[in-house]
Amino acid sequence: METPVESTRERLLNVAEQRFGEGGYEGTSLRAITVAAAANIAAVNYHFGSKEALLRAAVARAMAPVNTERRRRLDQLEARGGPNPEQLIRAFIEPGLDLVLRRGERGAVVARFIGRIAFDPSQRIRELYAAESDPIESRYLAALQSALPHASPEAVAFGYVNMLGLLALHQSQALSRAPGVDDAEDPGKLAENLVAFLVAAFDRGLRT
């Protein structure tokens, strides 16, 4: 059974995800979060210390399942030796899509939140997000560069950045169920289509 302290902390994190996802960091006041969470500023200070620390905790919580699954898959691939680009792309893409497509309403809130923070106009906020995502993302980039030895590191990095953007686009389309995205309700089909496209894009783009 949760204690009142745990309940307050979770409410603040849940509301922070929703409000930051809707209005961004600068566009969301701490008061708006505390009112919606039936808490007060003192509770934020007690559990987190500041508005930025609340954001950091929300990002860490949201990214933890994705980072854990990506790390697990990459560890397995590397233990078997020499993963190829398709295996690496699949191991990276599928957990990101699962964030939206397999978690119902909670997934939609988290994906909107992560998308808003990852592309926030403030460099400081983007750096805060990167602090949670960069360690495992850097490992994937290094693994892709090893799997594509005939391509320059700059070319692989260019393809990698575009992979991140395409994944974010499909996450946002899944949230709105955009017209023309017929496979948005089928995580498996969407993952297969996206992986196939990215494998072809890496192959063609790095040969030209």
Side-chain angles (χ1 to χ4, degrees), residues 36-80:
N40 53 44
I41 301 297
V44 174
N45 292 334
Y46 175 77
H47 290 290
F48 306 101
S50 66
K51 178 183 174 182
E52 183 176 304
L54 170 60
L55 174 64
R56 186 183 298 276
V59 170
R61 187 182 72 161
M63 289 301 298
V66 178
N67 288 340
T68 297
E69 180 61 11
R70 284 174 173 166
R71 187 176 297 107
R72 183 190 70 81
R73 293 189 183 203
L74 184 55
D75 287 344
Q76 286 187 341
L77 289 173
E78 291 181 336
R80 296 169 189 160

Side-chain angles (χ1 to χ4, degrees), residues 104-123:
E105 182 179 350
R106 160 82 173 148
V109 171
V110 172
R112 185 179 294 109
F113 165 63
I114 290 299
R116 190 68 177 258
I117 297 304
F119 297 101
D120 193 274
S122 166
Q123 182 178 351

Side-chain angles (χ1 to χ4, degrees), residues 4 8 33 51 67 88 92 101 202:
T8 299
I33 292 173
K51 178 183 174 182
N67 288 340
L88 292 167
F92 187 88
L101 299 175
F202 265 91

Side-chain angles (χ1 to χ4, degrees), residues 110-152:
V110 172
R112 185 179 294 109
F113 165 63
I114 290 299
R116 190 68 177 258
I117 297 304
F119 297 101
D120 193 274
S122 166
Q123 182 178 351
R124 169 63 181 163
I125 300 306
R126 294 196 305 272
E127 288 174 350
L128 185 151
Y129 167 77
E132 294 299 327
S133 60
D134 271 359
I136 187 60
E137 289 188 3
S138 296
R139 282 187 59 194
Y140 270 92
L141 176 56
L144 277 168
Q145 289 171 337
S146 295
L148 296 162
H150 301 299
S152 70

Side-chain angles (χ1 to χ4, degrees), residues 174-193:
L175 291 176
S176 61
R177 297 298 185 257
V181 186
D182 296 331
D183 53 7
E185 296 286 355
D186 184 343
K189 182 179 178 183
L190 177 55
E192 288 299 323
N193 289 344

